[in-house]
Amino acid sequence: MSEMHHCRQCGTCCRKGGPALHVEDGPLLTEGILQLQDLVTFRAGELVRDSSTNSVVPLPAEIVKIAAPAGSRPDDWTCRFLTEDNRCFIHEKSPAECKALFCDDPKALLGMHGKERLDRKSILELLRAPQWLIETVEAHEARCGYASLIELASHLEEQEEARKALVEVVEYDRAFRDLVVEKGNVSKEMLNFLFGRPLMYTVIMFGIDARTNADGSVTLVQTTKATLKR
């Protein structure tokens, strides 16, 4: 690497979020360098920040990224493999986007945008996960997909039925996750990969909070807080 492309080890890139996974990262999964609890899925239709255009857009297709450390704040996207001294814990086995990234010259990374990315199904098939788990992911997506949520959210102000329907989907998402942990013997740490981020958190992108009541039910509250965008 030339002096011009010498990494300063400031950690800035890694604090902006973990990399998306591509087909060439498959061996990191099959060798156990990356495990499902290390990953988070951003589902099709979810609002994210497109770094190539610096705008907030709905994802055209899902992406799977390395997650932030367990217990991080919702607005903290620091890659979980960044150490306290700004080094990468898996540097010798880092994903393709990490190898391509250089802060002062992002052309190589931008050239990978949207190309040959791994999604949940391809990862589960790569790891030879049981078919029931793949079908569980598909069943959740059919009920909790963002396309239907966006349609409901567009009618929240004038239609009480839309508000009720959205509450039902949020509650379904929460109950579905609990059931998979209880009945499927799946660790909670894998849920953000299997089903994406909980709707209790992500519906704020529609300008609303989903708040849990004392009886366990959910209430939607209009908010002006900053949305959880990336």
Side-chain angles (χ1 to χ4, degrees):
M1 181 178 289
S2 68
E3 186 65 27
M4 179 182 293
H5 285 71
H6 178 69
C7 176
R8 294 182 291 273
Q9 293 186 342
C10 64
T12 300
C13 299
C14 303
R15 290 189 178 89
K16 291 183 177 180
L21 299 186
H22 295 255
V23 172
E24 60 189 283
D25 296 318
L28 300 180
L29 294 158
T30 56
E31 294 171 14
I33 306 299
L34 298 178
Q35 300 185 35
L36 297 186
Q37 58 262 35
D38 296 321
L39 309 177
V40 58
T41 300
F42 288 77
R43 300 189 289 136
E46 190 168 351
L47 289 182
V48 297
R49 182 166 294 282
D50 185 342
S51 58
S52 65
T53 62
N54 197 32
S55 59
V56 176
V57 297
L59 273 176
E62 73 177 53
I63 60 174
V64 177
K65 299 174 70 73
I66 293 181
S72 297
R73 302 187 316 272
D75 60 346
D76 182 359
W77 298 109
T78 302
C79 177
R80 64 174 48 202
F81 293 114
L82 180 68
T83 65
E84 290 184 359
D85 58 353
N86 289 332
R87 295 179 181 271
C88 175
F89 188 73
I90 58 170
H91 178 70
E92 297 303 320
K93 295 283 188 176
S94 58
E97 285 198 359
C98 299
K99 291 182 171 69
L101 173 63
F102 179 63
C103 340
D104 295 337
D105 185 8
K107 289 195 296 293
L109 178 63
L110 293 176
M112 300 177 67
H113 185 76
K115 296 180 180 177
E116 295 189 312
R117 282 176 171 162
L118 288 170
D119 58 18
R120 288 174 290 179
K121 185 175 182 180
S122 60
I123 288 174
L124 290 172
E125 290 177 342
L126 183 67
L127 296 177
R128 299 182 179 179
Q131 184 62 29
W132 71 263
L133 189 55
I134 296 174
E135 293 173 353
T136 299
V137 169
E138 292 172 345
H140 175 269
E141 189 65 28
R143 182 70 174 86
C144 301
Y146 279 104
S148 59
L149 292 176
I150 291 170
E151 176 63 22
L152 289 173
S154 68
H155 300 292
L156 288 182
E157 292 186 5
E158 71 273 13
Q159 295 182 14
E160 182 61 25
E161 287 304 313
R163 181 174 289 269
K164 290 179 180 178
L166 186 56
V167 167
E168 288 176 0
V169 178
V170 172
E171 291 180 326
Y172 179 92
D173 172 67
R174 184 177 57 175
F176 193 98
R177 293 166 189 266
D178 290 343
L179 185 64
V180 170
V181 170
E182 179 184 352
K183 302 295 185 182
N185 196 29
V186 171
S187 70
K188 290 183 178 179
E189 289 74 18
M190 289 172 53
L191 295 179
N192 281 356
F193 163 73
L194 292 172
F195 310 123
R197 297 184 296 164
L199 294 182
M200 286 288 294
Y201 300 145
T202 61
V203 292
I204 201 169
M205 72 186 192
F206 301 127
I208 54 176
D209 270 347
R211 299 179 181 176
T212 306
N213 302 316
D215 62 359
S217 62
V218 171
T219 297
L220 301 183
V221 180
Q222 206 73 32
T223 179
T224 56
K225 294 194 305 181
T227 57
L228 302 182
K229 298 173 183 175
R230 186 172 192 175

